[in-house]
Amino acid sequence: VSVTGEPGRSVADESRAAMEKALALIEDAGYAKSHLVRSRLFASDATTRRIASDLRVEMLKGELRAASSSYIDPARLP
């Protein structure tokens, strides 16, 4: 599953919405959200990456805990 945030929102709101969308797509495909194996996050700069990564830690805990990685890649993002 791959999702992209929607511009025009705060980083936290954009990240939360993207993660909620990804979890819903996992369930729509017939899997439990707890089947999440890895999450990968791309951000345009270090500050944005930290905000999004902290939110991911908050949202993906307990049975949703999975391996994660995050990258700074401004060329990949609008």
Side-chain angles (χ1 to χ4, degrees):
V1 173
S2 178
V3 297
T4 303
E6 297 175 18
R9 305 165 102 178
S10 71
V11 173
D13 287 346
E14 185 177 345
S15 299
R16 180 177 288 107
M19 284 184 262
E20 287 171 348
K21 182 178 180 180
L23 290 170
L25 288 169
I26 289 169
E27 286 188 311
D28 289 349
Y31 298 99
K33 291 187 286 189
S34 61
H35 286 147
L36 180 67
V37 174
R38 177 177 210 57
S39 66
R40 200 170 273 161
L41 184 148
F42 292 90
S44 57
D45 58 59
T47 301
T48 302
R49 187 198 66 79
R50 172 55 40 213
I51 293 167
S53 183
D54 288 349
L55 183 68
R56 176 178 55 187
V57 168
E58 177 185 318
M59 288 183 69
L60 302 180
K61 58 186 173 188
E63 70 175 13
L64 299 182
R65 179 103 171 111
S68 64
S69 56
S70 54
Y71 304 93
I72 299 168
D73 188 357
R76 182 182 187 112
L77 304 165

